[in-house]
């Protein structure tokens, strides 16, 4: 039993052949070029298993990498896999989809939480939509126009530059002060969030509030201090011992809100003391947000869980939600059974 961090360092010590090699949270080997994947795939064993709730987060190449661990070369080399299946499936090719599904289905055992944890109470998910207005709307539209002009003038798409531009738009959606420190205007999303938190606290609920921007957590924290709302904060630099101390205290005491960085606290935490989850800003991949939600919605939860996703209307955030639907459909198409094949292919055709 070891961790992905340690296996990278110690892999040369594992020279013997094991009876079983089990990769838990196998999405950590989804990229075949990472040290995680390279190290784990060096292990020698008679039988291999991969456990994950998110076998496909962004593209089918991630599923190939996991299969490359449990059954090396079963799906061929990656370039061959990409030509035969990945490109076609992503473009809605029903024949390629059927061929790939037929190959992988015998080796995938999928269980939904609703099937194995029947004692879990209901989970209700809602999108809370706010409208851009005032100074925030002016800044968003000005930055959007600037981005369009820059891309048009350059004539090409530099991945790093484009991601930086998109990040600026996302920051303005969260709160313009993330991009403009001296900003004193309105913030539609922050107002909606505070109204939601006040209502939940007044109703006796405990809240997990996730954001991808740690600076946004700082802004919300200041609001909580002004209004006397009790909170804990967990970020990437929070020591492991402190993480567990905060988790235990939150589950046992009367602290109302746990502010958590999406990447730092999206896995490995049991926070069933909360029954309200707020995603302040949408991430590109729904599975990452679902993993975060599952900090509260898991074994041991005895209350109905309400999940809110805060979205600004007519902004990039709506496009992110559309992308989430596309990626979720892609995963279900190959390894799942919840939606009909034709319906999901239609979704893919509309989005590609």
């Amino acid at each position: 039993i070891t961790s992905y961090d340690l296996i990278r360092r110690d892999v040369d010590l594992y020279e013997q052949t094991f009876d079983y090699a089990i990769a838990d949270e196998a999405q950590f080997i989804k990229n075949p070029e990472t040290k995680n994947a390279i190290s784990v795939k060096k292990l020698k064993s008679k039988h291999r298993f991969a456990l994950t709730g998110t076998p496909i987060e962004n593209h089918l190449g991630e599923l190939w990498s996991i299969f490359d661990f449990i059954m090396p070369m079963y799906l061929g080399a990656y370039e061959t896999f990409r030509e035969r299946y990945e490109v076609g499936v992503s473009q809605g090719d029903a024949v390629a989809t059927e061929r790939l599904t037929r190959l992988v289905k015998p080796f995938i055992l999928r269980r939904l939480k609703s099937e194995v944890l029947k004692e879990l109470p209901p989970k209700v998910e809602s999108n809370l939509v706010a409208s851009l207005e005032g100074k925030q709307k002016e800044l968003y539209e000005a930055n959007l126009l600037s981005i369009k002009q820059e891309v048009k003038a350059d004539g090409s798409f530099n991945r790093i530059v484009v991601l930086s531009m998109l990040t600026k738009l996302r920051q303005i959606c969260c709160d313009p002060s993330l991009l403009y420190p001296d900003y004193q205007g309105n913030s539609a999303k922050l107002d909606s969030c505070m109204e939601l938190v006040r209502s939940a606290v007044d109703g006796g609920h405990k809240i997990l509030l996730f954001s991808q921007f740690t600076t946004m957590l700082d802004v919300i924290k200041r609001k909580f201090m002004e209004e006397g709302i009790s909170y804990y904060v967990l970020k990437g630099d929070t020591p492991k011992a402190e993480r567990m101390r905060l988790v235990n205290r939150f589950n046992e005491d009367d602290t109302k809100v746990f502010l958590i960085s999406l990447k730092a606290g999206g896995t490995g935490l049991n926070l069933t003391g909360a029954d309200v989850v707020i995603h302040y800003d949408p991430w590109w991949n729904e599975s990452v947000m679902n993993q975060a939600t599952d900090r509260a919605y898991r074994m041991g939860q005895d209350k109905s869980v309400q999940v809110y996703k805060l979205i600004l209307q007519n902004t990039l955030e709506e496009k992110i939600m559309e992308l989430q639907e596309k990626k979720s459909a892609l995963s279900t198409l190959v390894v799942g059974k919840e939606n009909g094949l034709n319906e999901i292919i239609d979704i893919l055709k509309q989005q590609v």
Side-chain angles (χ1 to χ4, degrees), residues 4 45 47 56 70 94 118 146 191 253 263 276 305 312 315:
Y4 289 103
S45 62
H47 310 283
I56 303 171
I70 59 174
K118 297 184 183 296
S146 175
D191 292 343
D253 67 19
K263 290 299 181 67
V276 172
V305 174
L312 273 190
T315 68

Side-chain angles (χ1 to χ4, degrees), residues 235-273:
K235 300 179 182 179
D237 58 359
T238 305
K240 289 185 178 180
E242 177 69 1
R243 285 165 62 102
M244 295 315 301
R245 188 178 69 86
L246 291 175
V247 167
N248 293 332
R249 287 174 60 180
F250 180 78
N251 284 330
E252 296 169 2
D253 67 19
D254 194 40
T255 301
K256 298 303 181 183
V257 187
F258 208 146
L259 296 168
I260 305 176
S261 165
L262 183 65
K263 290 299 181 67
T267 58
L269 302 177
N270 187 334
L271 291 164
T272 52

Side-chain angles (χ1 to χ4, degrees), residues 209-242:
L209 198 161
F210 293 95
S211 175
Q212 193 258 327
F213 298 103
T214 56
T215 48
M216 190 65 232
L217 297 181
D218 293 335
V219 172
I220 299 172
K221 181 176 69 174
R222 289 194 291 270
K223 283 286 187 180
F224 286 176
M225 293 174 67
E226 292 173 5
E227 300 196 18
I229 298 173
S230 56
Y231 65 88
Y232 293 129
V233 181
L234 190 154
K235 300 179 182 179
D237 58 359
T238 305
K240 289 185 178 180
E242 177 69 1

Side-chain angles (χ1 to χ4, degrees), residues 44-60:
K44 296 186 286 265
S45 62
K46 298 176 184 177
H47 310 283
R48 295 187 176 195
F49 293 87
L51 312 177
T52 177
T54 53
I56 303 171
E57 292 188 345
N58 298 293
H59 54 81
L60 284 176

Side-chain angles (χ1 to χ4, degrees), residues 3 15 29 37 70 101 135 146 176 179-180 185 192 222 238 259-260 303 331:
S3 68
E15 295 180 352
I29 61 170
I70 59 174
T101 302
K135 185 66 175 177
S146 175
L179 195 59
Y180 302 98
S192 295
R222 289 194 291 270
T238 305
L259 296 168
I260 305 176
K303 300 179 289 293
S331 178

